[in-house]
């Protein structure tokens, strides 16, 4: 029988939430980082249903705070490149992810954020109607506005019949370059609607691909190669090219061939620091003298208030995101801009340059390489000098602490650097041979490093994840939630708190704007936090190993003990009392 009535009786029939979980699985989403509420009753029920039937669906990681959930998805995407699901409770849970959405958006990390919406029926008309107080107060006019500045796409699921189509659309957009967060909202009445299996279509990855970055227009490539051919003082500045290992290699190859000094400014994903052309993190002195500059995958190459380019200089901007559409102002030069995969574009440039290279160019490049070698030695000498002073009891020198850590970390360990005013010590003192082994948030929302480290650990259990934060950043990260997830899901990370007794960045900012102001005269910067906190107890409450140190002499042994614990399977929290602000 082929009538629709016959089909309805003969084909199985499931709730939308059942297909929703199936759709996530078909997208290849491995995990749902969840913080549940009343909006999720249909999903929770179908999770049990699918498990009972032996049907596949993403694994659930329950996070006591949404900040952990969203940043875990970020950490997972940082390692795998694949966005995961984050499921939170209506407007309030969404609001709790806003800080993370800011960070993920600015870091170009994909994530599929999902939340319920208050039920739209109140008189028991449909399964899932309003049945509790909060359903009447959790419906703002514009729920998505809570995170809209950080989204590439948003929608409210209008009917279960399109649930898989909507998920595929969300997935394609978050995975397309430049990647970032998308947001899907759903009501209970939609999630409980029943549909037969032949009414729900599949949307395969083969047919619905995401957009990736490609190479550049050969004319623009040739124009830049011509400029490099006659450059006297070329520089290359990057911030996040290290997210792709091949981009790190392409930068190194081009720089070595053409004698280009490489800087990482406001780095978020490091390139290899072993490159013979890598000279450090501060391009300020080099920029005014550069005649040809290359900005490669970078958000903030320098601060224009401190640094001006030479008026005759030529700048090429090569980026997966040349337009920076999320920024009302973006003020860096580009006589020529090429949007795409920076690794591929740099390979094109190198190929063109090799074909054009003259003996004069080769001699000039070789001379530049000698100068770069000297700059490199200077940088390493300066770092060693800074680390030589160990500090004193109660005031461990952060450079010394990080240098000792650098001695014992292997090349594959990943550092989540939320050191704020001590972030420079992390960058300078810990050698990083491999790309993407130091991560900083592309955004400015503190409290990301713990969740990111956990998510990364989930994606790469064999690698060591090191979270480094200031004392202020540690509070922002909802550490009780971080250590709870670490314990429950057996995700050991090494957390280091560099405690300088408060918000040094706030103090320094006040001094920068008002070097001789009232705040300085009164020595009151509104930055001091509680002085006698035993941060280790936060970790210990969740079975982590905790150690507090204030004497520099204790540093090497304390680091060794913490690493032993992490390798043994539980998180370690090292609270270091460093030079006070
Ligand atoms: C969510 C959030 N709130 C506030 C700030 C503003 N802020 C920037 S740095 C900073 C101080 C951070 O203190 P800490 O982590 O101890 O680092 P320190 O400045 O002492 O090096 C604050 C409060 C922020 N960036 N993010
Ligand atoms: Mg501090």
């Amino acid at each position: 029988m082929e009538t629709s009535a016959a089909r309805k009786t003969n084909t199985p029939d499931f709730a939308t939430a059942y297909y929703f979980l199936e759709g996530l699985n078909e997208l290849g989403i491995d995990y749902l980082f969840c913080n549940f509420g009343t909006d999720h009753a249909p999903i929770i029920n179908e999770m049990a249903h699918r498990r009972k039937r032996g049907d596949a669906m993403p694994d659930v990681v329950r996070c006591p705070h949404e900040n952990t959930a969203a940043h875990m998805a970020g950490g997972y995407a940082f390692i795998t490149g694949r966005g995961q699901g984050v499921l939170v409770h209506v407007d309030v849970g969404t609001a709790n992810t806003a800080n993370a959405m800011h960070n993920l958006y600015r870091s170009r990390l994909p994530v599929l954020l999902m939340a319920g919406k208050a039920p739209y029926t109140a008189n028991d008309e449909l399964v899932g109607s309003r049945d509790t107080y909060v359903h009447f107060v959790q419906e703002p006019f514009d729920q998505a506005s809570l995170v809209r500045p950080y989204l590439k796409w948003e929608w409210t699921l209008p009917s279960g019949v399109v649930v898989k189509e909507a998920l595929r659309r969300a997935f394609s957009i978050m995975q397309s370059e430049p990647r970032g967060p998308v947001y899907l909202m759903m009501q209970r009445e939609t999630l409980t609607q029943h549909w037969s299996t032949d009414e729900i279509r599949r949307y395969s990855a083969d047919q619905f691909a995401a957009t990736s970055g490609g190479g550049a227009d050969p004319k623009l490539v040739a124009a830049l190669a011509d400029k490099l051919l006659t450059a006297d003082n070329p520089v290359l500045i990057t911030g996040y090219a290290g997210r792709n290992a091949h981009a790190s290699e392409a930068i190194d190859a081009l720089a070595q061939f053409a004698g280009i000094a490489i800087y990482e400014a406001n780095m978020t994903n490091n390139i290899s620091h072993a490159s013979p052309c890598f000279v450090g993190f501060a391009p300020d002195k080099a920029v005014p003298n550069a005649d040809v500059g290359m900005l490669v995958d970078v958000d903030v190459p320098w601060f224009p208030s401190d640094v001006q380019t030479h008026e005759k200089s030529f700048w090429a901007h090569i980026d997966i995101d040349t337009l920076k559409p999320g920024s009302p102002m973006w003020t860096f030069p580009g006589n020529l801009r090429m949007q795409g995969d920076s690794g591929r574009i740099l390979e094109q440039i190198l190929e063109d340059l090799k074909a054009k290279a003259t003996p004069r160019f080769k001699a000039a490049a070789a001379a530049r390489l000698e100068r770069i070698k000297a700059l490199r030695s200077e940088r390493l000498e300066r770092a060693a000098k800074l680390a030589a002073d160990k500090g004193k009891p109660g005031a461990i020198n952060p450079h010394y602490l990080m240098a000792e850590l650098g001695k014992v970390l292997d090349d594959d360990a990943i550092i989540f650097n939320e050191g704020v005013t001590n972030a420079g010590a992390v960058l300078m003192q810990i050698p990083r041979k491999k790309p993407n082994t130091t991560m900083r948030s592309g955004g400015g929302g503190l409290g990301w490093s713990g969740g990111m480290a956990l998510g990364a650990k989930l994606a790469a259990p064999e690698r060591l994840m090191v979270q480094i934060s200031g004392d202020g950043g540690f509070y922002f990260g909802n550490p009780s939630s971080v250590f709870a997830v670490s314990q429950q899901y057996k995700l050991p990370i090494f957390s280091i708190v560099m405690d300088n007794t408060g918000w040094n960045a706030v103090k320094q900012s006040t001094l920068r704007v008002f070097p001789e102001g009232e705040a300085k005269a009164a020595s009151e910067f509104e930055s001091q936090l509680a002085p006698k906190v035993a941060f280790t107890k936060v970790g210990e409450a969740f079975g982590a190993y905790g150690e507090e140190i204030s004497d520099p002499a204790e540093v090497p042994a304390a680091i060794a003990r913490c690493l032993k614990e992490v390798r043994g399977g539980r998180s370690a929290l090292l609270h270091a009392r460093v030079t006070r602000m």
Side-chain angles (χ1 to χ4, degrees), residues 257-268:
F257 186 73
I260 303 173
I262 308 169
Y263 294 87
E264 260 182 357
N266 295 290
M267 177 276 278
T268 52

Side-chain angles (χ1 to χ4, degrees), residues 85-114:
V86 173
L87 192 54
V88 298
H89 177 50
V90 294
D91 57 344
V92 289
T94 301
N96 271 355
T97 70
N99 184 43
M101 287 305 123
H102 158 96
N103 283 326
L104 269 53
Y105 179 66
R106 292 295 177 192
S107 306
R108 298 178 184 78
L109 288 168
V111 61
L112 169 52
L113 178 67
M114 293 166 288

Side-chain angles (χ1 to χ4, degrees), residues 419-422 470-473 498-505 527 529 581:
V420 193
T421 57
N422 286 315
D471 50 325
M498 289 208 265
D499 180 3
N500 58 7
T501 70
W503 298 330
N504 189 33
S527 298
L529 295 176
M581 59 179 187

Side-chain angles (χ1 to χ4, degrees), residues 100-169:
M101 287 305 123
H102 158 96
N103 283 326
L104 269 53
Y105 179 66
R106 292 295 177 192
S107 306
R108 298 178 184 78
L109 288 168
V111 61
L112 169 52
L113 178 67
M114 293 166 288
K117 266 182 149 178
Y120 51 80
T121 55
N123 299 291
D124 211 20
E125 295 91 336
L126 295 167
V127 183
S129 282
R130 294 185 180 192
D131 62 10
T132 186
Y133 173 78
V134 292
H135 293 158
F136 294 82
V137 296
Q138 287 180 331
E139 178 150 46
F141 280 103
D142 189 358
Q143 182 169 313
S145 69
L146 292 163
V147 286
R148 187 169 295 127
Y150 318 121
L151 298 177
K152 292 174 69 187
W153 176 93
E154 76 178 64
W155 208 34
T156 299
L157 189 68
S159 159
V161 77
V162 290
V163 64
K164 288 192 181 179
E165 193 175 359
L167 286 173
R168 174 56 72 188
R169 172 85 178 134

